[in-house]
Structure formats: C-alpha cells, structure tokens
Amino acid sequence: MNLQWDPIAFLLTVLGWTVLHLIWQGLLLGAVAEILLLGLRRSNPRFREWVAGSALVMLVVAFVVIGFKMIGGAFELGPARLAGSAALPPAWLPALAPWVGGAWVLVASFLLVRLLRGIAEVGNLRVNDVTPAPSNLGGCLERLATRMGIERRVPLLVSSRIEVPALVGWRTPVILLPGRAVQTLSPGEIEAMLAHELAHLSRWDRWTKATGLVARGLLFFHPVTHRLLDRLDVERERACDDLAVAACGSPVLYARALASLEHARQARGARVLAADGAPLLARIRRIVEPGARLPDGTGRRLALAGIGILVFSGATMAWARVAGPCLPAAIADPIFPRHAHHHTLSPESRRVILDYLQELKQNGYVAKDRTRIRIREVTHSQPSNKAGP
Amino acid sequence: MTPRLAQRPKVPRPTDAELAILRVLWRLGPRSVREVQRALNDERSDPAGYTTVLKLMQIMTTKGLVSRDDTQRPQIYSAFQGEARTQRQLLRDLLQRAFGGSYRELVLQALSDRKATQKELAEIEALLDRLEARR
C-alpha cells in the first residue's frame, strides 16, 4: 500500500467535520438565544443586542475550538473516536466530510471576494461624487455632537450615489448624506438623521458590524447565523433610535424625519405589494408609542445572566469530548448501530491495519497519545472470526 | 475599418425582450420589423403584436443597440454589435453582479434597504398626524 499523506484532504476533512458538528451545536445555541431574547423583549434594545452578539461570538468560538480539536484528534484509525459515546455516526458520514469541507472552502472564498469588492466600493463611495455639506449643516452636526457628548469630529459630505444617510468607513468614518434628502428634508429632519448617525458613531457599531461580517463569512451555512445577524441589525438600529430621540427631544419629530426620508427615497413611487410585515411602521410605532418597558437594571441583570448561560452552553459543547449526536440510547441504537470496534475485526482486517501501521512507522509517523492507546487496543485484541467492518 | 476598441461607443445592456430581437437579427441578418416580428412569433408561445415590436425596435435604435436604414421602404434594422461581443458583455455583467459585493452590507444606514409600501407610508402618516393633533 503506497502511502501518500495528503494535507489538503486532511484539512478538508477537518473542515467538513467541524461544519457538521457545528450544525447541531448551532441549533442548540440558537434555541437558547431565542428563549433569552423572548425573555428580554420588553427591555432596552441594547441588552438584546448583547445577547444576540454573544450567541454569535460563541458560535464562532465553537467553530474555531472544534476545528482545533479535530486537528488534534484526527489521526485516528476510525471515525468512532470523534464520537465520545458509543453511538457512532452512520458509515457514509465520514466519507462525506471532505466534500463538505470542500464546499465550505468554495463558498467562503466566494464570500471573501464579495467582501473585498464591497470594501473597495465603500472606499470609492466616500471619494467619488461627493461634495462637502453646506456650512449650516456642519454647524448643526457640531452642536449635536457636543449635546450627545461625542468628542470625535467626522467630516460631513453629500453624495449623489446614496439614497439614505450612512456612516461610512471604519478607522476614519465619514457621514454621507444623500443629495435628494438634503434638498427635500427640513433642517430639523436632517438634524434628526444626523443624530441617528452620530449615535452609531458613539457606540461601537462599526466594529460590531465588521465582526458580524466575519461571522457570516465563517458560518454562512447555518440559518441561526443569519437569524442572529438580522436580529443584531434590528436591535442596533433600535438602540440608535433611542439615543437619537433623546438628542432630538421629540419622538414625533424624529419619526417624521424617518417618514420624510422614506418618502424622499421613493424614486418612482412606493411599492404597492409586500409579503413581509411593515418594519418601518413597527419601528416608528416603537418610537412614538413605546409602551411599558422593563427597568434597565433588571434588563441588564437578565442579559448578563443570559450571556452567562450562552457562554456556559457553548463552552461545554465545544470542549466536551466532541460527542456526536447525543441521543439517548433507545433512539440512537436503530440509527447509529453500536460497534464494539476491535471485537468484530476479522483476521484479514487486522492484517491490513497492522501493515498500514508498519508503513506509517517506516514513514516516520509518530502517533499521538490517544492514537497509541487505540493502536494497542487493536493489535492486542483477540481476532475473531466474525465478519468485520 | 472597424474603430479601435477604445474608440468604440459603449452599448447598454439589452433587456430580455431586446435580447430576443437581437438574436433574430444575428441569425437572419438585417431585417424589417415585420420580418423580425414573424420570426419572433415562430419561436415564442405568446405572440407579440406588430406595434409592440416596432416600439421596442425604435427604443433600441435610440439606445444604440440596433441601427436603422431609412433609405428603403420598409426600413431595415441591423444589430449594431456582434453576437460575440454582446455575449461577453452579458457574461461580464453577470460576474459583476455575482461577485460584485455591495457597500450596503458594510455601512450603517439610517433606513433599511427594503422600501416601504404605499399602505405602510399611509399608515405612518395617519399615526403621526393623530399624535401631533393630540398635543
């Protein structure tokens, strides 16, 4: 048997197994996060943002940790060791793993290219077709920033290429205003929009958004990732709405500004049909008719407790013996039939394995601890005459 | 002599209907509107009327996708750009859209990408008017 140790196949297998394991762990973490978010539904959006963000971070951490554990434990004689329990994954799963890994690499590369091009487009956006904002708006921005307690001064520019005001850039951000909005909105309304963007600036929103992009690049395959990212976006905007309303003084004024902005960007008339709910209406309703809210102290304590639960569950799942589907035996047995591995090895199989081990040793392979134990188990076990795996 | 690549005017991307007409012109060569319409209706399931095809081809002439020969009656239309060039252009556009990336995912905007409907805007107006009247 000619041994060619293929590092690429190995890496793809590791990736594939990591992805497969993360699917069920992600579902569990996602379920925990949903329950926590439901419990926090009447509190400050900031706390829900913390919970959703922590869940996402734990997913990424789980991905990395499981990946490393796969690398450490992958020099095994069978896939069985990847499951800590006696329940084994079905026989076709290990063969699938490298293909899953390959697919992951393809899609991740594609997303990376898109990300880089997006970044280039962002760089383009802040330089081309922009004019400095009129000086009255600049003064307005100054006063707002002082009122909101923001020391950092960012340039204010008017762009003919965007429809909606945006905070653009990471280390050197600028605020871009759409040309049409500057013409059609009243000064009070423009000030409300500036307050919203300044709120984004004063929080760490640029960086949480960037982390979200990394998470999406790694964990694009899981629906929980997308759900959490959408949730994060929503809560981020809500939290900034709260800050902006506090700076403007009047919720109705701020809501008017949002509505006027939406009018201004409807180029050829508003859409007539929509299948999904009315998010702008819901957002404005929350601003002008807030309803009873959980006091911040309680909310903060709940959120921190929730984050603790998430960290604990995520860490336990990732660090435990990377157990496969942890189903009770009654359910697992028909799906994943138990094998007592070495007892069912036929003499021919033993011979093949021992030859393989010999060749590995000749090629300078040094087994890690767990593998050494397994090799000992196999080589010292009694051969049986049953048909082997 | 065909103009050098850098000097050739940039032709806009054809829509689906315009592409169908261009395919006929590439296959059959310069043709009149009536002949193009007949060729189109041979292959399509829903037949296009003469006036529709005429209107489309007039728009295509303004856009620069086809050129019109007015010296004869009926007028003869011919495709301005060859098939290979247009196909390359479409492929490039497709790749651009697939791999393009958008700034919208990377910046912090005041409104989401999804636009509001008429109904939603009307409800918002009503809500805000009601609240302002109450003060």
Side-chain angles (χ1 to χ4, degrees), chain B residues 108-120:
Chain B
L108 294 158
Q109 296 184 177
L111 288 176
S112 71
D113 276 337
R114 184 196 162 286
K115 292 196 178 155
T117 61
Q118 294 274 25
K119 191 163 169 286
E120 202 179 340

Side-chain angles (χ1 to χ4, degrees), chain B residues 5-127:
Chain B
L5 265 141
Q7 292 167 0
R8 268 192 240 177
K10 197 148 181 263
V11 172
R13 188 155 56 95
T15 65
D16 288 342
E18 292 169 351
L19 200 56
I21 293 178
L22 279 175
R23 280 210 197 91
V24 168
L25 287 176
W26 286 326
R27 200 177 67 227
L28 300 176
R31 286 282 183 269
S32 69
V33 179
R34 176 66 70 187
E35 290 164 318
V36 169
Q37 186 218 1
R38 213 175 303 140
L40 269 179
N41 292 340
D42 280 342
E43 35 182 68
R44 286 156 71 97
S45 49
D46 52 328
Y50 176 83
T51 38
T52 318
V53 178
L54 174 65
K55 189 75 202 208
L56 261 174
M57 293 185 81
Q58 283 171 340
I59 295 174
M60 286 166 81
T61 318
T62 3
K63 274 171 129 186
L65 285 165
V66 303
S67 49
R68 182 171 54 206
D69 180 11
D70 288 324
T71 57
Q72 342 178 9
R73 269 318 183 100
Q75 295 156 331
I76 302 289
Y77 289 80
S78 50
F80 188 75
Q81 206 172 228
E83 186 170 6
R85 270 207 87 198
T86 309
Q87 280 176 346
R88 274 202 300 273
Q89 186 185 20
L90 285 173
L91 188 63
R92 218 178 305 136
D93 284 338
L94 180 69
L95 285 176
Q96 161 72 14
R97 283 214 264 162
F99 285 88
S102 169
Y103 70 85
R104 294 211 184 88
E105 311 166 328
L106 303 172
V107 301
L108 294 158
Q109 296 184 177
L111 288 176
S112 71
D113 276 337
R114 184 196 162 286
K115 292 196 178 155
T117 61
Q118 294 274 25
K119 191 163 169 286
E120 202 179 340
L121 280 172
E123 281 187 56
I124 292 172
E125 284 298 310
L127 172 63

Side-chain angles (χ1 to χ4, degrees), chain A residues 311-331:
Chain A
V311 171
F312 178 71
S313 1
T316 318
M317 285 194 296
W319 276 103
R321 299 297 260 125
V322 185
C326 298
L327 304 169
I331 303 176

Side-chain angles (χ1 to χ4, degrees), chain A residues 74-328:
Chain A
F75 278 92
E76 300 295 353
L77 287 179
R81 229 13 178 188
L82 293 171
S85 57
L88 288 180
W92 47 264
L93 207 55
L96 195 63
W99 294 103
V100 170
W104 186 94
V105 169
L106 277 175
V107 180
S109 316
F110 171 70
L111 289 177
L112 183 64
V113 168
R114 293 204 69 193
L115 180 66
L116 292 173
R117 297 198 63 155
I119 293 176
E121 201 175 323
V122 165
N124 210 0
L125 193 65
R126 43 188 296 178
V127 171
N128 293 337
D129 301 326
V130 289
T131 50
S135 53
N136 62 325
L137 285 182
C140 177
L141 186 68
E142 278 271 348
R143 285 192 302 276
L144 257 182
T146 321
R147 207 179 330 152
M148 292 172 80
I150 300 170
E151 290 167 357
R152 185 182 191 143
R153 292 292 176 261
V154 295
L156 183 63
L157 300 169
V158 176
S159 164
S160 57
R161 284 158 55 158
I162 54 171
E163 294 179 329
V164 167
L167 180 69
V168 169
W170 288 278
R171 280 190 317 181
T172 53
V174 307
I175 297 181
L176 289 182
L177 289 177
R180 184 185 269 136
V182 170
Q183 289 160 5
T184 49
L185 262 61
S186 74
E189 290 170 340
I190 299 182
E191 184 175 341
M193 292 295 98
L194 289 177
H196 182 96
E197 297 308 326
L198 281 176
H200 276 307
L201 183 67
S202 69
R203 307 168 83 239
W204 292 80
D205 287 352
R206 307 192 306 284
W207 305 110
T208 52
K209 189 124 191 177
T211 322
L213 289 171
V214 170
R216 197 179 60 179
L218 290 177
L219 302 168
F220 54 85
F221 53 88
H222 209 306
V224 166
T225 315
H226 297 287
R227 196 171 158 75
L228 285 174
L229 281 170
D230 288 342
R231 203 54 194 270
L232 264 175
D233 277 339
V234 166
E235 301 300 341
R236 189 185 301 132
E237 292 306 317
R238 285 181 183 170
C240 285
D241 280 342
D242 287 347
L243 284 176
V245 164
C248 284
S250 155
V252 177
L253 173 69
Y254 181 76
R256 274 266 177 236
L258 281 176
S260 303
L261 189 66
E262 182 66 43
H263 270 292
R265 79 152 167 181
Q266 304 276 0
R268 293 183 204 92
R271 282 167 48 205
V272 177
L273 296 170
D276 41 356
L280 186 60
L281 178 60
R283 183 178 168 189
I284 287 181
R285 235 190 226 131
R286 194 196 73 96
I287 295 166
V288 296
E289 296 176 334
R293 196 193 250 198
L294 214 60
D296 273 4
T298 321
R300 184 175 291 124
R301 277 195 288 273
L302 272 176
L304 289 173
I307 293 173
I309 295 174
L310 279 170
V311 171
F312 178 71
S313 1
T316 318
M317 285 194 296
W319 276 103
R321 299 297 260 125
V322 185
C326 298
L327 304 169

